[in-house]
Amino acid sequence: MDDHPTFRMGVRAVLAAGAGVEVVGEGESGEQALELVASADPDVVLMDLTMPGIGGLEATRRLVSAGSRSAVVVLSMSGTDDSVFAALRSGARGYLLKEAPPEEILTAVRAAAAGQGFFGAGVAGRISAFFAGAAAASVRPFPELSGREREVLALLADGAGNAVIAHRLALSPKTVRNHVSSVLAKLQVADRAQAGARARDAGLGRDRPG
């Protein structure tokens, strides 16, 4: 599904050259995508995101929410994080850039037809980086603290007073007091001793800023 006839012609040629792949329809809008899926019941839909009407994202959402068995693989010019993750949230099974080589498009179609996900090389890298960062954040203690607050907490774990913290972090005494108050509030502890104890239990302190 794409609103550029020349591009659709090229994709059709790529798919027609693939063994076991049959093109059962094409369209230029999100509405046509829904109509063609309802009438042709394809295994896979190659969907552009930017099309007239409701567009590819909304068409994908509607197909998925309706329980369609057709797997959606996005084929888009955009490889931004916003576009990729919006498509995944909508229920897309795969994501390719329009510059993808023909064999990658065929591989994605076959993978989606078999119930598997497939993402182009550039897109897969973005997804891996995102989830690697999410995993790191999920195991990092005290994610509610800012970076500076974590530095203050690490020094609290070492028993440092405000003057020492101010010197180590090159901050004013007032700024240190504000950070300490914020740390105590976010950790919901009564005093700096309790905050330091929690930090040490989590492995902070002794020049380990976390």
Side-chain angles (χ1 to χ4, degrees), residues 109-188:
V109 168
R110 292 185 175 116
Q116 303 167 3
F118 185 91
F119 302 93
V123 174
R126 288 179 178 274
I127 295 172
S128 296
F130 174 82
F131 285 108
S138 68
V139 299
R140 187 169 182 158
F142 313 118
E144 66 271 30
L145 300 183
S146 69
R148 181 63 82 185
E149 289 167 349
R150 291 174 61 80
E151 292 176 332
V152 170
L153 178 60
L155 290 169
L156 289 178
D158 290 338
N162 284 6
V164 173
I165 295 174
H167 176 72
R168 290 281 299 273
L169 300 181
L171 300 173
S172 70
K174 180 179 179 181
T175 300
V176 171
R177 288 194 299 271
N178 290 339
H179 282 314
V180 170
S181 296
S182 180
V183 167
L184 299 184
K186 289 182 178 181
L187 297 188
Q188 298 182 355

Side-chain angles (χ1 to χ4, degrees), residues 76-98:
S76 174
M77 288 288 293
S78 175
T80 65
D81 288 351
D82 287 346
S83 296
V84 171
F85 291 109
L88 292 180
R89 287 191 296 270
S90 296
R93 188 75 57 79
Y95 198 112
L96 299 174
L97 298 180
K98 287 186 175 181

Side-chain angles (χ1 to χ4, degrees), residues 26-53:
E26 62 181 69
E28 60 182 15
S29 69
E31 287 83 353
Q32 286 186 5
L34 298 179
E35 293 170 3
L36 286 168
V37 168
S39 61
D41 191 28
D43 295 319
V44 180
V45 179
L46 287 175
M47 185 86 75
D48 188 16
L49 296 182
T50 306
M51 295 187 293

